[in-house]
Amino acid sequence: MRVFNFNGGPAALPVEVLEQVAAEMLDWRGVGMSVMEASHRSKEVAAMTAEAEADLKELLGLDGGWRALFLQGGASLQFAMIPMNFAPDGAPCDYVDTGLWSTKAFQEAKICGADARLAASSAEDKFVFIPSEFDFRPQARYVYLTSNNTVRGTQWSSFPQDAPAPLTADMSSDFLSRPLDLTKFSLVHAGAQKNVGPAGLTIVLIRPEFAATGRSGLPHLLDYRTYIESDSMYNTPPVFAIYVAGLVFKWLKGTMGGLAAVERRNRVKAATLYGAIDGSGGFYRGAARPDSRSLMNVTYRLPSEALEMTFLAEAKKAGFDGLGGHRSVGGVRASLYNAVELKAVEALAAFMAEFARKNG
Amino acid sequence: MRVFNFNGGPAALPVEVLEQVAAEMLDWRGVGMSVMEASHRSKEVAAMTAEAEADLKELLGLDGGWRALFLQGGASLQFAMIPMNFAPDGAPCDYVDTGLWSTKAFQEAKICGADARLAASSAEDKFVFIPSEFDFRPQARYVYLTSNNTVRGTQWSSFPQDAPAPLTADMSSDFLSRPLDLTKFSLVHAGAQKNVGPAGLTIVLIRPEFAATGRSGLPHLLDYRTYIESDSMYNTPPVFAIYVAGLVFKWLKGTMGGLAAVERRNRVKAATLYGAIDGSGGFYRGAARPDSRSLMNVTYRLPSEALEMTFLAEAKKAGFDGLGGHRSVGGVRASLYNAVELKAVEALAAFMAEFARKNG
C-alpha cells in the first residue's frame, strides 16, 4: 500500500511514471532490453536524452541561448564547480546565505580559493527569512543564491533585479514547481531528487556564453564546456535517471498541463497546509517568516518537542511519511513537491486538526 | 522479446534482478513507496547501503583494511580525483597505458598538474597486448593501470608484483568477473554499468590508510575521505543505482555462487567464442594478441569491412545486439559480462559459423 509521502528529498514521484518504469523494465521502447542495459551511444538513448533536454527547455520556455545539461554529483559538486570555473585564482564572487545549503556553497567557494563574500545573510534570525537588501560588489564574477531552502522552509518569491553580475542559483528544491524568469541568470543547478526524478542526476541550465568565460585547463568532468560540447555524453551519463526525468517532464507537459498549472496546484496545496497551521489557534506555529514561506517545504512546530515526537509517530502510523524536520533543526516539515497530490495535503490537514483537538 | 545483449556497457543485467526491480517499483520493502522516493537518511536506505557494502566486501574477500564506497561521475572523474588526491603539486605517479581509457587517465593526471609518466605502453602495437616489463620510478606515489580494456579487448591476467608504489586501477569492465588479489592495491574504481548495475554509480575500493595520505583542502566531493567518513552519504547518493547494485551482489553470492564460480562460467563463455574465431579457418581474426585476450570483451575482424557491416546487420536481425566494435576502432566486439548467459554465447557462435559458411 502506498503511503502519503512528504519526504524532503528524495521524494514522491508521480505514480503514472513509476508504473511506466515498471512496465518497461524488461523491454524498453521495444529494443529487447531494459533502458539500463542499452548503450548510451545507441540511437534510442541519444534520442531519449535529446528529447529530455528539449522537453525541459520547452517547459521552462528557454530559447537557444540556454543549454540543459545532465550531470552527476548533486548540488555539492556544483558548490565546487561554479567557483572552480568562474572565480578561479582568487576572483571575487558574492553569495546570499539563506541557510544550510547556501552556507555550504559559500564555504566550498572559499575552499576552492575564490574571494567569496556574503552580499546578504539571514543567519542573524536563524534563516527564517529571505533577505531583501544586498551588498553586491561591482567586480563580482557572479552572484550565488539558493532559491528554496528545505531546512527552514523559506523561498525566494522574486530574485534581485539589480545585481551587477550574472545570477547563479541552486534551485534543487523548487525546480519545475513554477514558471521561471531566468533573464538575470546565467546558471541554475538542480538535483533531480525533489521534483524531477531519482537521486544521482543533477540538471544544469547554463548559457554557453557564460560557460565560455570559465577557467580553462580544468579536469574534463569539472568543466561545463565538456558537457555542452558532448551533449552531456562525454562519458556514460546516468541513463536511467535521465529516462525517469524525461518521463516526469512529459507528465508535467501532459497530465499536469505545464508549469503555470503546476504552480497553481502547488499554491493550493501550500495554502491548505499553511491554513491548517494558521487556523490552529496557535497549536501549530509556522517556522518561517510569513513573507518568506516556501511553497515546497512547509515547516512548523508544536507546543513542545514531546508533542512533536507524538505527532510524528501517530502521523506515521496513520500513513503520513517523511514529516520529520531536517535533522539539524527538528520540528515538522511537510514537503509538497509536484508529485504530492492535493488529497494527501487535505488528509494531512484533517489529521492535524484532529491531533490538535485531542492534544490542544 | 528480450534480445541477446552483447553491449560493451551499459550492458546486460540479470533478468531476475530486473524482475525484482519491476515488482518493487511502487512499494519497496513494504515502506509504501519506491526506493527512488525513500529518504537516503531513512533507516531502510541506510541499511540497504550498508548491506551492499558488506555484500561487496564479502564477495571480494576484503577485510577491515578496505572500504567500498559509492560515488558518482564514472571513471572519468576518478581519472582526476586520483592525481588530485595522491599526486598534488607536481608529485610523481606512473601509468601503464593499455589503450583509450588509460590514455585518458594519464592525460587527466597531467591536466591536474601531476608529474605523470608512462612506466609502460602498448601503443606501439595499437594496444593489442598487455605489457610485461615496466619502468617504475621508486619515488612514484602510485602506479595506475586499467585491468581490462574494452576497446581492443585485452585484459591483465596478473598484476605487477614488484611495483615500488601502491597500485591503483580502473577495473570498470572486469570488476566482479573473477576473484581478485588486491594485496598490492590501494585503490580500485569501477563504473557500475558493466557488471554491477545502472550507469551513474562508481564503486571505489580504497584502503583508508591510503586515503589518509591524500592532499587536504580539496572540495569535499573530490576528497575520498569525505565518502569514508560519511559512509558514502555526505550528500544524497545515487540510491536507485546502489539498490540495483545491491541486488546484483546478492545474485552473485546466491544464484551465481560467488566469484570463483563466476570466473569459471566466464572462462567457458570466452573459450566458446574464441574457439569459434580460431576454428573459423581464418574467416574471423581475433583483434587482441592471444596471451592478452580479455574474458570480457572478445574483439574480432572479418575479411573486409563490408562483410563486417553485413555481419552486424544480419546479427542484429537475428536478435544479437551490441556487437559493433568501439567507435574508435570498428570491427566486432562481443562483451561477455556476468549477466550474459552461456546460451547467448553458444547461439552467437552458431550464428558465426553459419555466416562464415555462407560468406567464406
Side-chain angles (χ1 to χ4, degrees):
Chain A
M1 203 202 67
R2 302 266 299 170
V3 296
F4 291 125
N5 183 351
F6 293 99
N7 271 331
L13 289 170
V15 172
E16 68 182 71
V17 166
L18 294 174
E19 285 171 343
Q20 183 171 347
V21 172
E24 297 177 338
M25 188 54 66
L26 287 157
D27 188 0
W28 170 69
R29 290 193 179 184
V31 298
M33 59 184 80
S34 159
V35 67
M36 289 187 271
E37 302 172 292
S39 171
H40 60 298
R41 304 284 175 203
S42 67
K43 65 178 190 304
E44 292 86 1
V45 172
M48 176 196 84
T49 305
E51 209 172 309
E53 177 176 1
D55 283 341
L56 177 55
K57 289 178 65 177
E58 186 188 326
L59 273 168
L60 289 162
L62 296 180
D63 63 19
W66 285 91
R67 286 298 304 271
L69 306 175
F70 302 112
L71 278 72
Q72 300 180 54
S76 297
L77 190 58
Q78 296 304 304
F79 297 165
M81 277 179 70
I82 291 172
M84 287 172 91
N85 278 264
F86 302 113
D89 306 317
C93 47
D94 288 347
Y95 281 69
V96 181
D97 189 7
T98 53
L100 182 67
W101 300 107
S102 39
T103 307
K104 283 189 184 231
F106 176 61
Q107 289 167 343
E108 209 73 16
K110 289 198 284 192
I111 287 172
C112 293
D115 170 22
R117 280 223 236 141
L118 292 183
S121 169
S122 50
E124 60 184 75
D125 199 9
K126 291 185 178 167
F127 300 117
V128 298
F129 70 99
I130 300 292
S132 53
E133 297 193 4
F134 312 98
D135 179 22
F136 295 126
R137 289 176 291 175
Q139 72 273 28
R141 301 289 175 83
Y142 63 83
V143 169
Y144 184 94
L145 59 86
T146 310
S147 61
N148 183 76
N149 302 277
T150 50
V151 176
R152 292 287 177 181
T154 64
Q155 185 178 25
W156 294 70
S157 52
S158 65
F159 299 107
Q161 295 300 307
D162 56 348
L167 295 184
T168 67
D170 177 0
M171 296 197 179
S172 292
S173 52
D174 63 356
F175 191 62
L176 300 184
S177 71
R178 56 182 179 179
L180 266 177
D181 175 6
L182 291 177
T183 312
K184 299 288 176 186
F185 286 87
S186 286
L187 186 156
V188 165
H189 63 87
Q193 68 272 15
K194 318 283 187 181
N195 274 319
V196 173
L201 170 65
T202 314
I203 289 172
V204 170
L205 309 178
I206 192 168
R207 293 186 196 268
E209 62 186 34
F210 182 60
T213 68
R215 188 201 139 180
S216 52
L218 285 169
H220 280 88
L221 271 247
L222 301 177
D223 186 326
Y224 293 104
R225 285 165 291 211
T226 301
Y227 301 88
I228 292 173
E229 288 160 14
S230 65
D231 296 328
S232 303
M233 290 264 188
Y234 174 75
N235 66 341
T236 317
V239 177
F240 179 81
I242 295 171
Y243 154 72
V244 177
L247 296 180
V248 170
F249 300 154
K250 291 202 183 298
W251 173 78
L252 288 169
K253 282 175 60 182
T255 307
M256 296 295 275
L259 295 190
V262 164
E263 180 176 15
R264 282 194 297 276
R265 286 169 195 250
N266 285 333
R267 286 193 179 280
V268 172
K269 282 151 51 182
T272 302
L273 202 47
Y274 284 120
I277 292 165
D278 296 339
S280 71
F283 185 82
Y284 301 106
R285 286 166 295 117
R289 215 169 70 182
D291 66 357
S292 300
R293 281 176 166 176
S294 168
L295 299 179
M296 292 284 100
N297 311 99
V298 177
T299 52
Y300 53 102
R301 310 296 310 220
L302 272 67
S304 71
E305 286 190 24
L307 267 176
E308 285 171 353
M309 300 288 280
T310 310
F311 176 85
L312 291 173
E314 290 193 13
K316 175 130 183 151
K317 251 186 262 173
F320 302 97
D321 210 345
L323 286 171
H326 188 271
R327 55 198 175 124
S328 64
V329 295
V332 183
R333 174 178 64 183
S335 296
L336 309 183
Y337 300 122
N338 292 342
V340 176
E341 295 179 79
L342 178 59
K343 70 177 182 200
V345 183
E346 289 171 340
L348 175 60
F351 173 84
M352 286 167 63
E354 178 64 13
F355 186 88
R357 196 186 59 74
K358 284 195 298 198
N359 297 276
Chain B
M1 203 203 68
R2 302 267 299 170
V3 296
F4 291 125
N5 183 352
F6 293 99
N7 271 330
L13 289 169
V15 172
E16 68 182 71
V17 166
L18 295 173
E19 286 172 342
Q20 183 170 348
V21 171
E24 297 177 336
M25 187 55 65
L26 287 158
D27 188 0
W28 169 70
R29 291 193 179 185
V31 298
M33 59 184 79
S34 159
V35 67
M36 289 187 271
E37 302 171 292
S39 170
H40 60 298
R41 305 285 175 203
S42 68
K43 64 179 192 302
E44 292 85 1
V45 172
M48 175 195 85
T49 305
E51 209 173 308
E53 178 177 359
D55 283 340
L56 177 54
K57 288 178 65 177
E58 186 188 326
L59 272 168
L60 289 163
L62 296 180
D63 62 20
W66 284 91
R67 287 298 305 269
L69 306 173
F70 302 112
L71 278 71
Q72 300 180 53
S76 297
L77 190 58
Q78 295 305 304
F79 297 165
M81 277 180 71
I82 292 172
M84 287 172 92
N85 279 264
F86 302 113
D89 307 317
C93 46
D94 288 347
Y95 280 69
V96 181
D97 189 6
T98 52
L100 182 67
W101 301 106
S102 39
T103 307
K104 282 188 183 231
F106 176 61
Q107 289 166 342
E108 209 74 15
K110 289 197 284 192
I111 287 172
C112 293
D115 169 22
R117 280 223 236 142
L118 292 182
S121 168
S122 49
E124 60 184 76
D125 199 10
K126 292 183 177 169
F127 300 116
V128 299
F129 70 99
I130 300 292
S132 53
E133 297 194 3
F134 312 98
D135 180 22
F136 294 126
R137 288 177 293 175
Q139 73 273 28
R141 300 289 176 84
Y142 63 82
V143 169
Y144 184 95
L145 59 86
T146 310
S147 61
N148 183 75
N149 302 278
T150 51
V151 177
R152 292 289 177 180
T154 64
Q155 184 178 25
W156 295 69
S157 51
S158 65
F159 300 106
Q161 295 301 306
D162 57 347
L167 296 185
T168 67
D170 177 359
M171 295 196 179
S172 292
S173 52
D174 62 357
F175 191 61
L176 300 185
S177 71
R178 56 182 178 179
L180 266 178
D181 175 6
L182 292 177
T183 312
K184 299 288 175 186
F185 286 87
S186 287
L187 186 156
V188 165
H189 64 88
Q193 68 272 15
K194 317 285 186 178
N195 273 320
V196 173
L201 170 65
T202 314
I203 288 171
V204 171
L205 309 178
I206 192 168
R207 293 186 195 267
E209 61 186 35
F210 182 60
T213 68
R215 189 202 138 180
S216 51
L218 286 169
H220 280 88
L221 271 246
L222 301 177
D223 187 326
Y224 292 103
R225 285 166 291 212
T226 301
Y227 301 89
I228 291 173
E229 288 160 13
S230 65
D231 296 328
S232 303
M233 291 265 189
Y234 174 75
N235 67 342
T236 317
V239 177
F240 178 80
I242 295 172
Y243 154 71
V244 177
L247 295 180
V248 170
F249 300 155
K250 290 201 184 298
W251 173 77
L252 288 170
K253 282 174 61 182
T255 307
M256 297 296 275
L259 296 190
V262 164
E263 179 176 16
R264 283 194 297 275
R265 285 168 197 251
N266 285 333
R267 286 193 178 279
V268 172
K269 282 151 53 181
T272 301
L273 202 47
Y274 284 119
I277 292 165
D278 297 339
S280 72
F283 185 80
Y284 301 107
R285 286 166 295 116
R289 214 169 70 181
D291 66 359
S292 301
R293 281 175 166 178
S294 168
L295 300 179
M296 291 285 101
N297 311 100
V298 177
T299 53
Y300 53 103
R301 311 296 311 220
L302 271 67
S304 71
E305 286 191 23
L307 266 176
E308 286 170 353
M309 300 287 280
T310 309
F311 176 85
L312 292 173
E314 291 193 11
K316 174 130 183 151
K317 251 186 265 172
F320 302 96
D321 211 343
L323 285 171
H326 188 271
R327 56 200 175 123
S328 63
V329 296
V332 183
R333 174 179 63 183
S335 296
L336 309 183
Y337 300 123
N338 292 341
V340 175
E341 295 180 79
L342 178 59
K343 70 178 181 198
V345 183
E346 289 172 340
L348 176 60
F351 174 84
M352 285 167 63
E354 178 64 13
F355 186 88
R357 197 187 58 75
K358 284 197 297 198
N359 296 277

